[in-house]
Amino acid sequence: MKQARTTIIAGNWKMNYGPSRAAQFTMEILPQLNQITHHDYNLLCILCPPAISIPAVHQLLHMGRYTHIELGAQNMYFEEQGAFTGELSPHMVRELCSTVILGHSERRMYFGETDEQVHKKTLAAFKHGLRPIVCIGENLAQYEAGQTEQVIRTQVQGALAQLPEEKLGDLVVAYEPIWAIGTGRAATPEIAGNVTGLIRQLYGEMYGHEAAAALHILYGGSVTVANIGTFIIHPEIDGALVGGASLKPDFVELVRQAAESSLL
Ligand code: PGA
């Protein structure tokens, strides 16, 4: 029997779909997505379009008042306001979104984000009532050198230490091995489950057993319709952060598979 934690499927559209295409795609998937999430499945679906497309998707979601389909941003800055050209403040994100992805490996790799910045952003998200999805994961060289545990430990301690205990219930962590992202080479459920278990253990050492048992941990990296069920049935894995497969109409099918598998 799967644990009582809500299953979360977040679609990270990355730098795809401007406002018109985003609206068109959302209209395409929304009726069916709503049918699935409206069932009594304990499932939450979060769409994360590029920042400029968030208002277009928000408008469509708002019109239908889809309670189990929410909106997320892919990044934000931690400062409240000011001279930070190109950035979005937590307050701005919160106007339209419930959630924000933080520390995605592409942000770390191409834009130099550090655990320290991710930590500040996580605190800022909490302060503004946003649900942070904090991404961590090792790269291929680290994986092959057997350094996964060390890398995860460093990232968990760097990004997730000293968080306000009363906000911990909002936190979502995504384990995304970089070697699995966009490569078509997903981790096996065993590998993903072992690392999510490790994350839960490290988190428990910081915040105690109860907080660790309540923490939502997602897997991300080449998740597809074909493999989503195998991750969801793993007791340590509470959902998925989906990139490429969230851009296609059969994302609906992926969400359906996740919903059904979460009942097994
Ligand atoms: P992918 O991306 O599903 O295309 O591998 C996952 C992610 O980067 O969140």
Side-chain angles (χ1 to χ4, degrees), residues 52-250:
I52 200 162
S53 303
I54 287 172
V57 178
H58 178 265
Q59 198 177 8
L60 292 168
L61 291 182
H62 196 68
M63 275 169 13
R65 300 184 188 284
Y66 299 97
T67 46
H68 292 96
I69 306 172
E70 297 185 4
L71 198 49
Q74 299 172 13
N75 178 38
M76 68 173 195
Y77 199 43
F78 50 78
E79 293 287 357
E80 302 275 325
Q81 60 171 47
F84 302 102
T85 302
E87 294 296 321
L88 300 176
S89 76
H91 180 71
M92 293 170 188
V93 172
R94 185 65 191 102
E95 270 194 46
L96 299 183
C97 298
S98 65
T99 301
V100 61
I101 299 172
L102 297 177
H104 190 280
S105 61
E106 286 149 18
R107 300 284 329 158
R108 294 174 186 258
M109 202 159 34
Y110 302 127
F111 304 98
E113 271 191 31
T114 61
D115 285 331
E116 191 189 346
Q117 287 169 328
V118 176
H119 183 245
K120 285 186 180 167
K121 291 181 177 197
T122 305
L123 290 175
F126 282 152
K127 185 170 170 200
H128 289 269
L130 283 159
R131 173 194 299 114
I133 301 181
V134 176
C135 304
I136 57 179
E138 79 286 4
N139 65 29
L140 184 60
Q142 293 162 333
Y143 173 67
E144 287 179 342
Q147 294 167 349
T148 301
E149 182 171 341
Q150 187 49 48
V151 172
I152 294 296
R153 187 179 292 273
T154 304
Q155 291 178 334
V156 167
Q157 288 169 352
L160 301 178
Q162 293 173 331
L163 300 177
E165 308 233 341
E166 72 280 7
K167 298 284 190 179
L168 290 179
D170 293 341
L171 180 67
V172 178
V173 176
Y175 169 55
E176 297 212 303
I178 297 168
W179 47 269
I181 295 178
T183 59
R185 181 188 171 194
T188 62
E190 290 71 30
I191 293 175
N194 283 343
V195 181
T196 46
L198 169 68
I199 294 168
R200 201 176 298 287
Q201 179 204 318
L202 293 169
Y203 187 79
E205 288 167 14
M206 297 194 288
Y207 300 109
H209 177 74
E210 213 175 299
L215 177 67
H216 287 84
I217 310 181
L218 316 182
Y219 165 74
S222 297
V223 171
T224 62
V225 179
N227 64 23
I228 182 70
T230 65
F231 291 108
I232 298 298
I233 58 174
H234 195 291
E236 287 290 347
I237 302 174
D238 304 315
L241 182 52
V242 185
S246 72
L247 294 167
K248 299 179 211 143
D250 73 354

Side-chain angles (χ1 to χ4, degrees), residues 15-82:
M15 201 172 72
N16 296 287
Y17 295 172
S20 349
R21 182 71 186 99
Q24 192 186 17
F25 177 63
T26 305
M27 281 192 282
E28 233 176 286
I29 60 171
L30 209 46
Q32 282 170 285
L33 262 192
N34 187 42
Q35 263 180 10
I36 300 164
T37 52
H38 232 73
H39 262 256
D40 56 349
Y41 297 124
N42 190 16
L43 182 118
L44 174 65
C45 181
I46 307 170
L47 305 178
C48 306
I52 200 162
S53 303
I54 287 172
V57 178
H58 178 265
Q59 198 177 8
L60 292 168
L61 291 182
H62 196 68
M63 275 169 13
R65 300 184 188 284
Y66 299 97
T67 46
H68 292 96
I69 306 172
E70 297 185 4
L71 198 49
Q74 299 172 13
N75 178 38
M76 68 173 195
Y77 199 43
F78 50 78
E79 293 287 357
E80 302 275 325
Q81 60 171 47

